[in-house]
Amino acid sequence: MDRASSVVLQALTQATSQDTAVLKPAEEQLRQWETQPGFYSVLLNIFNNHTLDVNVRWLAVLYFKNGIDRYWRRVAPHALSEEEKTSLRAGLITNFNEPVNQIATQIAVLIAKVARLDCPRQWPELIPILLESVKGQDGLQQHRALLTFYHVTKTLASKRLAQDRRLFQDLASGIYSFACSLWSHHTDCFLQQIYAQDEAAALSSLERTLLSLKVLRKLTVHGFQEPQHNMEVMGFLNAVFERLKQFLECCRQVGSESTCREKLEKTIILYTKVLLDFLEYHPCAFIPLIQRSLEFAVSYVFTPAGEGVTFERFIVQCMNLIKMIVKNDAYKPAKNIEDSKPESLEAHRIKTAFFTHPTLTEIGRRLVSHYFLLTEEELAMWEEDPESFAVEETGGDSWKYSLRPCTEVLFLDIFHNYSQTLTPVLLDMVQNLQGPTNVEDPVQLLMKDAVYNAVGLAAYELFDNVDFDQWFKNQLLGELQVSHHRYKLIRRRVIWLIGQWISVKFKSDLRPLLYEVILSLMQDPDLVVRNQQTFIHFFFFWFKLLIMSGFRTEQFLPYLESIFGLLFQLLQQVTECDTKMQVLHVISCVIERVNIQIRPYVGCLVQYLPLLWKQSEEHNMLRCAILTTLIHLVQGLGAESKNLYPFLLPVIQLSTDVSQPPHVYLLEDGLELWLVTLENSPAITPELLRIFQNMSALLELSSENLRTCFQIVNAYIYLSATEFLQVSLTHTRVVEIALKVSPILGAHMFQPLLPAVFRGIVDGERYPVVMSTYLGIMGRVLLQNSSFFSSLLAQMASENNQEVDQLLGSIIEMWVDRMDNITQPERRKLSSLALLSLLPSDNSVIQDKFCGIINICVEALHDVMTEDPETGTFKDCMLMSHFEEPKLSDDEEPPTEQDKRKKLLALEDPVHSVSLQQYVYEKLKVQQALMGDQGFGVLMETVDTELVRQLQEFLQGL
């Protein structure tokens, strides 16, 4: 063991080297030792030896911790032996005297990892030893044991299997009293020491208070199935409020410069987390605490009681507590009161009694007039870095952690639940601010900004109470035209406010007036250059304006050139990646809305996008936004998009190459861009064919993108079947499309595959979708390349030692039997035409199957024939007339190049160019001529009389 220790110690020492020539071999050696018996025992001895170098000991702990993840489980490859694990468990809890904080934390974490796997069954002594060590008088040992106790409790509480949860509940019930007394003891010690102004001792006690409270939080929240019935749990939760008040007073006493201040605030936040977690996991058990929670939170956040003692994160937590109580579904009675649970009614009663009219009025007014006000720091950030401010404000942190979004969410939730009370309050605040505000009064400007913010947030709630059209014409329009630089705050807010209301209540006729005003503001160089943040808000407003349902293209077109030019200008100016993404999304939306009418204005954008793509090499999400813009750009440019190929095709190549790391982010948009590029391409090019080399790997991925991949294959075939089929791989769906585009070429190109299709039909392929495809392929070959079908039939008969007629009979019989597998009307008509193409015939096999062929034809006639109500005659609805460019309304998109190709192809396709009604009639006539009237009459007698009647009805008038 000594020799092994020295060898491992040397390797660990070398692994801490900055010299890669020394470091790499050492790491490789340690990796090889990971599976050797005794390696982890050596690591344990090394990190427990406090005389060794800290970095070496730290590395030993990390290797030990990683080994637990890989080799501790019994079923793991190279698993540790039970004997070594027993020895290691004992060594880990021999003493708790690690002097280095960071190493102590890592040791606590690795003990917790072992506990997760082994406690309590294989390690029953762990908890008793930890509790005993926590009681010790040695300060270091007590702290390290408490630290380990917390990490073990946290890990065990996180297990979610029912059996593990029961074990944790057994543990919690056994140690809860001790944990409570431990927390209470350390808390009392801290308070005594802080009041005695002994900050050093207080800081030590506060650390232990924090750890013991963390343990209690896990035990309280996860350790009891029905905690409301446990007096100790409810006693602790009630004590939390008193302790919070004491600790907040300590904040006032120690001041902001105290060494205890940071940890004191952490402890206060942890107390609030105890309440929030308990409310989340046990809403019914929390009902007795609702009244006290609301009183506490509202007192500190909305009354003078909180002045001088609260801090931002604490206010956020209190607001979250109020919000979770207000909107908790468990506290709302059912629509039918008789169906409500008693606890829901009790919670609702408590909330109703608390949220009186005066209380709600004060909360509403203070939220708007105090918490909605922009702070000096926010105003300074707006001036110094407007773009970052815009990004932070529009995206920002989660509402759970940041004050401004948290405030707005609380306002929305309270307003939604108590709108009858709060609507008059907010409208009164609006009324008091009517007319232009004095630009020399910054307080009033900030107040108007806050009130307008509230009206925007509550737009849906205020729908019936605010005539926004009149307010816009009589008040807001005038405020947009105030040009004083101090009024920029209100101009910005008014634009945002209109963006909030425009999808709620804003007449379409007012939009041109709005466009005029916004454009005049955007063309103000002082606004654009010196107040870019407002400029950004304008465009986010446009984005919302464009996507709403009432948008009318004809109203927007007169402003398109100016708006698009300003968008491009903004895209160049902004530097934040997130802002560029948002501007690109607006650009995409504009292009999508106006479609081909964007063509005269995209020249500068087309020149700039290659540079932006290059600059965004490290920003894959920005590249996704560029891909989306390119998709809409190609659709807008149509066939003219071929001029983008030098940039476009390498982008597609990179985005869809699964061997390139960025494909993880870019693949979906890249495939969509590939597809629209093909659909809008006027002709095939060698470069377009070359990028198809990416498709083989893509088709091997069983993913949600498979459908798009097949659409790309379709597009290639429609674009140029001849060139494409010479370089592509094959698939049955590819075969079917190829045969549709060019039956003769397709049959020869896919000759090696057709026998498999043939066999699939004869053998009765069991999957309906596959069978439908097979019959579609065979239908194309039979109908449009009959000579190839005959040679294929002879080949298959020879291979199977069958007569040709016998095999043909089997094919027709299976075709008739599985016709129901074909669901698309086009394919059903194709099958009818194909089988009818066998007539006229004196072949006894075909005549034997005549009844089945007629049956299929009548079914297909029902699918495709529509009756003219005036004449009573039938018409084949699948027939297409000569090609014409369709007349489009403003809201319709023009056809792509592929749409045109499909239409031209359809004009040549028998499915769309041959009347099934006429074809049936002609084939029956020639069959009758071949057999004579008597013979044909005998043949028709094999058909069901009802089918004959329906057939005659369809053929009436021919």
Side-chain angles (χ1 to χ4, degrees), residues 535-678:
F535 192 56
I536 292 168
H537 265 280
F538 287 161
F539 280 109
F540 295 163
F541 156 75
W542 283 116
F543 178 69
K544 193 159 191 175
L545 187 69
L546 288 162
I547 62 173
M548 53 170 295
S549 58
F551 174 81
R552 281 158 53 182
T553 307
E554 73 276 8
Q555 287 183 326
F556 185 69
L557 287 178
Y559 312 96
L560 175 59
E561 182 177 3
S562 299
I563 291 170
F564 202 80
L566 289 167
L567 274 168
F568 177 64
Q569 178 184 339
L570 179 59
L571 182 63
Q572 290 177 298
Q573 288 178 345
V574 296
T575 56
E576 292 279 348
C577 182
D578 187 66
T579 312
K580 282 189 180 290
M581 286 170 56
Q582 295 194 53
V583 177
L584 279 169
H585 287 146
V586 180
I587 288 174
S588 296
C589 195
V590 170
I591 298 172
E592 184 180 21
R593 282 296 189 179
V594 301
N595 206 280
I596 63 174
Q597 295 171 96
I598 198 66
R599 292 177 184 178
Y601 314 116
V602 296
C604 292
L605 178 65
V606 166
Q607 293 176 13
Y608 176 66
L609 285 178
L611 175 62
L612 184 59
W613 179 266
K614 186 176 181 180
Q615 291 173 342
S616 61
E617 189 172 356
E618 302 300 322
H619 303 282
N620 286 311
M621 298 312 294
L622 177 54
R623 284 194 160 185
C624 286
I626 296 172
L627 287 172
T628 302
T629 304
L630 286 170
I631 290 168
H632 294 298
L633 192 58
V634 169
Q635 290 171 328
L637 290 174
E640 293 178 19
S641 62
K642 67 180 184 298
N643 299 322
L644 299 181
Y645 285 2
F647 166 56
L648 202 59
L649 301 189
V651 166
I652 296 171
Q653 171 76 37
L654 174 69
S655 304
T656 60
D657 185 350
V658 296
S659 67
Q660 297 292 329
H663 90 274
V664 175
Y665 303 94
L666 308 179
L667 180 59
E668 185 174 352
D669 293 318
L671 287 171
E672 186 66 27
L673 178 59
W674 191 355
L675 177 60
V676 299
T677 299
L678 291 168

